[in-house]
Amino acid sequence: MTLLTFRFAPSPNGELHLGHAYSALLNQQLADATGGRLLLRIEDIDTTRCTPQFEAGLLADLKWLGLGWDVPVRRQSEHFAEYRATLDRLVRDELVYPAFMSRGEIRAFITDSEKRGRDWPRDPDGVPLYPAADKALPVKERKRRIAENAPFAWRLDVDAAMAHVGKDLSWAEFVDETLSATRAIEARPQDWGDVIVARRDIPTSYHLAVVMDDALQGISHVVRGRDLFSATGVQRLLQEILGLPQPAYFHHRLILGPDGRKLSKSLGDTGLAALRRAGASPDDVRRMVGF
Ligand code: GLU
């Protein structure tokens, strides 16, 4: 039997909280129970919001919790050249297009359209889909704008990508944390519209980096929060057009705050460092998240 490989993949753009602790500990427990290994990946492509201080804090928190991981740790900011090479392939295959609209322009475009009585479609997170205008730009106009150094992001042409794949996609989702059985979930990447594949000054996006790294690191089991459940459809599509293997997924329950809402990195009192300072032990944290 091949070695099962799990990963915990935090972003060092804030302090870890109880939700991260649950995710990390669950991955560790599953790796231990299956004789598999656990890898740690630092998802720091956003070089303005991610800082070495947050990364150091995160590593200290995880060590304090008693998490053990195989080395080397993969740090995404050290692999921009690899992401760029893959992006170049997608550009060559005409599966991505340059998207020039700024956030403000997108907002104005949508407000204008909604004023005329048309509800604008939104993705499962409630974010308005990217308008189709840039996809329709003639090649000459695209080239002109790029030559003039107009800033742009690369967006996936989701219809072209689906047509390229030519079949419906699904992924294997474990039914519970015993990882004993999976069910097939229909991938619906269209619900997200033309997602960003490379940001304005970064040759990748969360989705591109995650599918490439899961493949490169040989991840067999992606265990992460339910908040990423439906985004998995986008990742399945990227895996398919890039010819990458597909891991099996388990999207675990989220740890909610006292107000019943998802924890965020700005909620100080559920932060692991704050809990530690207040005298909590790693066992207290385990209990607090239900282990
Ligand atoms: N880096 C992501 C986060 O911190 C997790 C990505 C993933 O597990 O696929 O929310």
Side-chain angles (χ1 to χ4, degrees), residues 55-75:
E55 184 185 316
L58 167 168
L59 293 172
D61 288 347
L62 294 176
K63 282 189 190 133
W64 173 74
L65 259 189
L67 203 79
W69 55 83
D70 282 16
V71 285
V73 170
R74 186 173 174 91
R75 193 175 288 105

mmCIF file of all heavy atoms in Angstrom, residues 55-75:
data_model
loop_
_atom_site.group_PDB
_atom_site.id
_atom_site.type_symbol
_atom_site.label_atom_id
_atom_site.label_comp_id
_atom_site.label_asym_id
_atom_site.label_seq_id
_atom_site.Cartn_x
_atom_site.Cartn_y
_atom_site.Cartn_z
ATOM 1 N N GLU A 55 4.829 34.015 10.320
ATOM 2 C CA GLU A 55 5.279 32.640 10.072
ATOM 3 C C GLU A 55 5.970 32.079 11.313
ATOM 4 O O GLU A 55 5.715 30.934 11.722
ATOM 5 C CB GLU A 55 6.225 32.579 8.870
ATOM 6 C CG GLU A 55 6.608 31.132 8.574
ATOM 7 C CD GLU A 55 7.636 30.970 7.469
ATOM 8 O OE1 GLU A 55 7.516 31.645 6.432
ATOM 9 O OE2 GLU A 55 8.552 30.147 7.657
ATOM 10 N N ALA A 56 6.835 32.887 11.932
ATOM 11 C CA ALA A 56 7.538 32.419 13.141
ATOM 12 C C ALA A 56 6.526 32.114 14.250
ATOM 13 O O ALA A 56 6.646 31.108 14.960
ATOM 14 C CB ALA A 56 8.536 33.487 13.600
ATOM 15 N N GLY A 57 5.493 32.958 14.362
ATOM 16 C CA GLY A 57 4.470 32.760 15.390
ATOM 17 C C GLY A 57 3.700 31.464 15.153
ATOM 18 O O GLY A 57 3.432 30.699 16.083
ATOM 19 N N LEU A 58 3.401 31.236 13.898
ATOM 20 C CA LEU A 58 2.642 30.036 13.528
ATOM 21 C C LEU A 58 3.448 28.756 13.825
ATOM 22 O O LEU A 58 2.922 27.791 14.390
ATOM 23 C CB LEU A 58 2.319 30.242 12.064
ATOM 24 C CG LEU A 58 1.803 29.350 10.998
ATOM 25 C CD1 LEU A 58 1.411 30.220 9.825
ATOM 26 C CD2 LEU A 58 2.785 28.333 10.563
ATOM 27 N N LEU A 59 4.732 28.800 13.500
ATOM 28 C CA LEU A 59 5.569 27.621 13.769
ATOM 29 C C LEU A 59 5.672 27.383 15.271
ATOM 30 O O LEU A 59 5.599 26.233 15.736
ATOM 31 C CB LEU A 59 6.966 27.808 13.150
ATOM 32 C CG LEU A 59 6.995 27.830 11.612
ATOM 33 C CD1 LEU A 59 8.380 28.225 11.110
ATOM 34 C CD2 LEU A 59 6.589 26.474 11.029
ATOM 35 N N ALA A 60 5.803 28.471 16.038
ATOM 36 C CA ALA A 60 5.897 28.333 17.496
ATOM 37 C C ALA A 60 4.592 27.759 18.055
ATOM 38 O O ALA A 60 4.614 26.854 18.906
ATOM 39 C CB ALA A 60 6.196 29.697 18.130
ATOM 40 N N ASP A 61 3.452 28.253 17.559
ATOM 41 C CA ASP A 61 2.152 27.746 18.022
ATOM 42 C C ASP A 61 2.011 26.250 17.732
ATOM 43 O O ASP A 61 1.539 25.483 18.570
ATOM 44 C CB ASP A 61 0.993 28.478 17.329
ATOM 45 C CG ASP A 61 0.822 29.910 17.830
ATOM 46 O OD1 ASP A 61 1.416 30.256 18.868
ATOM 47 O OD2 ASP A 61 0.089 30.676 17.165
ATOM 48 N N LEU A 62 2.387 25.854 16.518
ATOM 49 C CA LEU A 62 2.222 24.447 16.139
ATOM 50 C C LEU A 62 3.136 23.537 16.948
ATOM 51 O O LEU A 62 2.742 22.441 17.352
ATOM 52 C CB LEU A 62 2.471 24.262 14.635
ATOM 53 C CG LEU A 62 1.456 24.948 13.702
ATOM 54 C CD1 LEU A 62 1.868 24.766 12.245
ATOM 55 C CD2 LEU A 62 0.040 24.407 13.932
ATOM 56 N N LYS A 63 4.356 24.008 17.204
ATOM 57 C CA LYS A 63 5.287 23.207 18.030
ATOM 58 C C LYS A 63 4.737 23.075 19.440
ATOM 59 O O LYS A 63 4.784 22.006 20.042
ATOM 60 C CB LYS A 63 6.676 23.852 18.038
ATOM 61 C CG LYS A 63 7.419 23.547 16.759
ATOM 62 C CD LYS A 63 8.872 23.991 16.841
ATOM 63 C CE LYS A 63 9.494 23.897 15.455
ATOM 64 N NZ LYS A 63 10.245 25.087 15.075
ATOM 65 N N TRP A 64 4.240 24.197 19.971
ATOM 66 C CA TRP A 64 3.659 24.187 21.319
ATOM 67 C C TRP A 64 2.504 23.188 21.409
ATOM 68 O O TRP A 64 2.370 22.434 22.365
ATOM 69 C CB TRP A 64 3.184 25.601 21.672
ATOM 70 C CG TRP A 64 2.424 25.705 22.949
ATOM 71 C CD1 TRP A 64 2.925 25.643 24.220
ATOM 72 C CD2 TRP A 64 1.000 25.896 23.079
ATOM 73 N NE1 TRP A 64 1.905 25.782 25.126
ATOM 74 C CE2 TRP A 64 0.717 25.947 24.459
ATOM 75 C CE3 TRP A 64 -0.040 26.048 22.164
ATOM 76 C CZ2 TRP A 64 -0.579 26.124 24.951
ATOM 77 C CZ3 TRP A 64 -1.331 26.230 22.644
ATOM 78 C CH2 TRP A 64 -1.589 26.268 24.028
ATOM 79 N N LEU A 65 1.692 23.144 20.335
ATOM 80 C CA LEU A 65 0.560 22.207 20.299
ATOM 81 C C LEU A 65 1.010 20.752 20.252
ATOM 82 O O LEU A 65 0.236 19.848 20.501
ATOM 83 C CB LEU A 65 -0.262 22.460 19.031
ATOM 84 C CG LEU A 65 -1.544 23.250 19.103
ATOM 85 C CD1 LEU A 65 -2.253 23.145 17.753
ATOM 86 C CD2 LEU A 65 -2.464 22.737 20.214
ATOM 87 N N GLY A 66 2.269 20.544 19.858
ATOM 88 C CA GLY A 66 2.792 19.185 19.775
ATOM 89 C C GLY A 66 2.673 18.588 18.385
ATOM 90 O O GLY A 66 2.783 17.374 18.204
ATOM 91 N N LEU A 67 2.449 19.441 17.393
ATOM 92 C CA LEU A 67 2.343 18.934 16.021
ATOM 93 C C LEU A 67 3.730 18.532 15.509
ATOM 94 O O LEU A 67 4.709 19.218 15.764
ATOM 95 C CB LEU A 67 1.755 20.030 15.124
ATOM 96 C CG LEU A 67 1.086 19.531 13.854
ATOM 97 C CD1 LEU A 67 -0.305 19.002 14.176
ATOM 98 C CD2 LEU A 67 0.989 20.622 12.795
ATOM 99 N N GLY A 68 3.784 17.426 14.788
ATOM 100 C CA GLY A 68 5.051 16.998 14.183
ATOM 101 C C GLY A 68 4.850 16.886 12.688
ATOM 102 O O GLY A 68 3.815 16.422 12.241
ATOM 103 N N TRP A 69 5.809 17.350 11.903
ATOM 104 C CA TRP A 69 5.658 17.280 10.450
ATOM 105 C C TRP A 69 6.985 16.894 9.812
ATOM 106 O O TRP A 69 8.048 17.087 10.392
ATOM 107 C CB TRP A 69 5.146 18.603 9.888
ATOM 108 C CG TRP A 69 5.984 19.798 10.266
ATOM 109 C CD1 TRP A 69 7.126 20.222 9.640
ATOM 110 C CD2 TRP A 69 5.771 20.697 11.371
ATOM 111 N NE1 TRP A 69 7.614 21.335 10.270
ATOM 112 C CE2 TRP A 69 6.814 21.651 11.333
ATOM 113 C CE3 TRP A 69 4.803 20.793 12.374
ATOM 114 C CZ2 TRP A 69 6.907 22.686 12.269
ATOM 115 C CZ3 TRP A 69 4.907 21.824 13.298
ATOM 116 C CH2 TRP A 69 5.948 22.758 13.240
ATOM 117 N N ASP A 70 6.877 16.335 8.607
ATOM 118 C CA ASP A 70 8.080 15.965 7.868
ATOM 119 C C ASP A 70 8.725 17.226 7.299
ATOM 120 O O ASP A 70 8.031 18.176 6.971
ATOM 121 C CB ASP A 70 7.725 15.043 6.692
ATOM 122 C CG ASP A 70 7.476 13.613 7.161
ATOM 123 O OD1 ASP A 70 7.272 13.422 8.379
ATOM 124 O OD2 ASP A 70 7.490 12.705 6.309
ATOM 125 N N VAL A 71 10.039 17.215 7.181
ATOM 126 C CA VAL A 71 10.718 18.336 6.539
ATOM 127 C C VAL A 71 11.158 17.899 5.137
ATOM 128 O O VAL A 71 11.268 16.695 4.877
ATOM 129 C CB VAL A 71 11.950 18.804 7.377
ATOM 130 C CG1 VAL A 71 11.462 19.572 8.585
ATOM 131 C CG2 VAL A 71 12.824 17.632 7.781
ATOM 132 N N PRO A 72 11.426 18.807 4.218
ATOM 133 C CA PRO A 72 11.376 20.250 4.379
ATOM 134 C C PRO A 72 9.936 20.784 4.345
ATOM 135 O O PRO A 72 9.060 20.167 3.756
ATOM 136 C CB PRO A 72 12.156 20.763 3.163
ATOM 137 C CG PRO A 72 11.940 19.720 2.115
ATOM 138 C CD PRO A 72 11.836 18.410 2.842
ATOM 139 N N VAL A 73 9.772 21.936 4.974
ATOM 140 C CA VAL A 73 8.502 22.651 4.885
ATOM 141 C C VAL A 73 8.493 23.340 3.522
ATOM 142 O O VAL A 73 9.509 23.891 3.110
ATOM 143 C CB VAL A 73 8.436 23.708 6.015
ATOM 144 C CG1 VAL A 73 7.259 24.652 5.832
ATOM 145 C CG2 VAL A 73 8.362 23.021 7.380
ATOM 146 N N ARG A 74 7.376 23.266 2.815
ATOM 147 C CA ARG A 74 7.317 23.958 1.524
ATOM 148 C C ARG A 74 6.759 25.369 1.724
ATOM 149 O O ARG A 74 5.702 25.542 2.309
ATOM 150 C CB ARG A 74 6.427 23.176 0.553
ATOM 151 C CG ARG A 74 6.432 23.770 -0.853
ATOM 152 C CD ARG A 74 5.678 22.870 -1.819
ATOM 153 N NE ARG A 74 5.554 23.490 -3.116
ATOM 154 C CZ ARG A 74 6.419 23.355 -4.114
ATOM 155 N NH1 ARG A 74 7.498 22.616 -3.963
ATOM 156 N NH2 ARG A 74 6.222 23.947 -5.276
ATOM 157 N N ARG A 75 7.528 26.324 1.243
ATOM 158 C CA ARG A 75 7.102 27.726 1.367
ATOM 159 C C ARG A 75 6.776 28.218 -0.042
ATOM 160 O O ARG A 75 7.661 28.292 -0.902
ATOM 161 C CB ARG A 75 8.242 28.532 2.006
ATOM 162 C CG ARG A 75 7.844 29.907 2.468
ATOM 163 C CD ARG A 75 8.974 30.612 3.211
ATOM 164 N NE ARG A 75 9.229 30.068 4.532
ATOM 165 C CZ ARG A 75 10.260 29.295 4.882
ATOM 166 N NH1 ARG A 75 11.168 28.978 3.995
ATOM 167 N NH2 ARG A 75 10.394 28.866 6.107
#
